[in-house]
């Protein structure tokens, strides 16, 4: 039975699959201020596209009533490109820009938090850069923006219409970025920051593929009725981790990991540990290869299919089937 399932499903240092191919992924020791420098961010020969992600993780270590969290992207001369403020006491958020006419820091958008800051909870802030003047903030799965616009592009002779987030009328585009800074007060503490053309999720979810997958999908461009953020999402939900037969374990071949600057627009295929989601043996160089837009990979990674895990999942599924038959 195990062999049949195996056949059916084959259609630097050790890093977990949730941070593979990031430019940086730094664990922070409950700090309240941190700056991440970036290099050559406007060089498309280096980056291939303008897209980049900055993901900051933290926790409320105590009563967050007076906690204020800020995150901002700056130029080399400390000119504000795009920033966000989370005010836990007021239950409000506000994004800021350097106005392209007055050249003063000014409000961009503001709104209410959908869920209050809560003692003991973890939080995450995501800055998704789509284009130099199309950027999105997400806080705890809430898109900190609203309204959309219609844009057009040509594919051959065909004019195609698409719906996109609003343009950011900031003086400085994201291609002028030099550093990303987060600050916090009160009970808010930062525990991790990752960045690059990649997707990460909380380390506390690393050993539960289902939770990690749901977390990524809830911040993705998956349709809102299906649990995503639609037009305000960060990335396509196809880049969420894949789980073995609906279990908490990862599929040993992850065939749709987020493209980065070295993959020429194609996703990555990687052999991973089924329990942790880490690249098998930490061997990113040899166990990750370019994939294809249809999910095809050059290898099956069958040698990393954990027989004990597979048997465990199959046994549990059989027990559930016999126990729940009407």
């Amino acid at each position: 039975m195990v062999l049949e399932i195996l056949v059916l499903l084959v259609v630097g240092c050790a890093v977990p699959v949730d941070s593979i191919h990031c430019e940086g992924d730094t664990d922070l020791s409950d700090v309240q201020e941190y700056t991440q420098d970036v290099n050559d961010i406007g060089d498309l020969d280096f980056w291939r596209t303008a897209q980049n992600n900055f993901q900051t993780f933290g926790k409320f270590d105590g009563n967050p009533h007076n906690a204020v969290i800020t995150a901002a992207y700056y130029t080399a001369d400390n000119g504000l490109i795009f920033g966000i403020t989370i005010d836990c006491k007021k239950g409000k958020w506000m994004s800021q820009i350097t106005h392209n006419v007055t050249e003063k820091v000014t409000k961009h958008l503001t709104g209410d938090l959908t869920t209050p800051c809560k003692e003991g909870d973890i939080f995450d802030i995501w800055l998704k850069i789509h284009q130099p003047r199309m950027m999105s903030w997400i806080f705890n799965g809430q898109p900190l923006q609203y309204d959309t616009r219609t844009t057009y592009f040509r594919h051959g002779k065909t004019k195609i219409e698409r719906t996109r987030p609003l343009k950011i009328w900031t003086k400085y585009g994201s291609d002028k970025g030099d550093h990303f800074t987060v600050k916090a007060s009160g009970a808010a503490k930062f525990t991790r920051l990752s960045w690059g053309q990649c997707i990460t999720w909380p380390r506390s979810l690393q050993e539960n593929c289902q939770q990690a997958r749901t977390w990524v999908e809830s911040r993705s461009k998956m349709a809102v009725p299906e649990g995503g953020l639609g037009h305000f999402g960060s990335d396509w939900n196809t880049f969420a981790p894949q789980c073995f037969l609906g279990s908490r374990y990862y599929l040993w071949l992850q065939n749709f990991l987020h493209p980065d600057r070295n993959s020429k627009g194609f996703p990555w295929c990687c052999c991973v540990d089924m329990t942790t989601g880490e690249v098998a043996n930490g061997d990113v160089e040899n166990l990750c290869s370019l994939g294809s837009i249809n999910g095809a990979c050059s290898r099956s990674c069958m040698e990393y299919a954990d027989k004990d895990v597979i048997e465990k999942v199959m046994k549990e599924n059989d027990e559930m089937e016999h126990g729940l038959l009407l």
Side-chain angles (χ1 to χ4, degrees), residues 120-255:
D121 280 0
I122 61 174
F123 64 83
D124 65 281
I125 303 173
W126 194 325
L127 172 61
K128 171 66 179 188
I129 298 172
H130 305 273
Q131 295 178 358
R133 284 181 172 78
M134 191 171 80
M135 297 168 274
S136 305
W137 290 105
I138 301 172
F139 178 69
N140 286 347
Q142 177 187 352
L144 305 186
Q145 56 190 312
Y146 41 83
D147 292 337
T148 58
R149 60 193 169 115
T150 299
T151 64
Y152 301 89
F153 72 100
R154 288 193 174 276
H155 184 72
K157 295 183 179 181
T158 304
K159 185 178 182 181
I160 299 176
E161 176 182 301
R162 57 184 173 180
T163 302
R164 314 207 78 181
L166 296 176
K167 185 174 181 179
I168 309 299
W169 294 101
T170 179
K171 177 183 177 181
Y172 312 105
S174 64
D175 54 333
K176 303 299 182 184
D178 177 78
H179 56 279
F180 180 81
T181 296
V182 290
K183 296 181 180 180
S185 64
K189 308 289 178 59
F190 299 118
T191 59
R192 180 185 177 197
L193 189 147
S194 65
W195 76 283
Q197 295 174 343
C198 61
I199 296 174
T200 58
W201 53 84
R203 295 201 189 283
S204 60
L205 307 183
Q206 181 179 333
E207 294 193 8
N208 191 320
C209 182
Q210 288 296 329
Q211 290 183 355
R213 180 176 178 83
T214 299
W215 191 95
V216 172
E217 288 180 335
S218 69
R219 290 151 176 78
S220 75
K221 295 179 181 179
M222 187 167 67
V224 173
E226 297 176 7
L229 298 181
H231 299 303
F232 302 124
S234 58
D235 298 275
W236 295 110
N237 58 295
T238 50
F239 300 125
Q242 300 166 71
C243 309
F244 175 65
L245 293 183
S247 73
R248 64 182 292 126
Y249 298 100
Y250 294 84
L251 190 60
W252 58 86
L253 170 62
Q254 297 289 316
N255 66 345

Side-chain angles (χ1 to χ4, degrees), residues 77-131:
D77 296 326
N78 290 317
L80 176 66
I81 298 173
F82 198 28
I84 194 73
T85 298
I86 306 295
D87 190 322
C88 290
K89 183 177 182 178
K90 296 179 180 178
K92 293 277 189 178
W93 61 266
M94 181 177 69
S95 55
Q96 305 98 28
I97 59 172
T98 298
H99 198 278
N100 63 336
V101 176
T102 66
E103 299 188 358
K104 295 182 178 180
V105 173
T106 185
K107 178 188 77 175
H108 175 58
L109 295 173
T110 189
D112 295 327
L113 297 177
T114 56
T115 56
C117 306
K118 186 177 179 181
E119 182 174 352
D121 280 0
I122 61 174
F123 64 83
D124 65 281
I125 303 173
W126 194 325
L127 172 61
K128 171 66 179 188
I129 298 172
H130 305 273
Q131 295 178 358

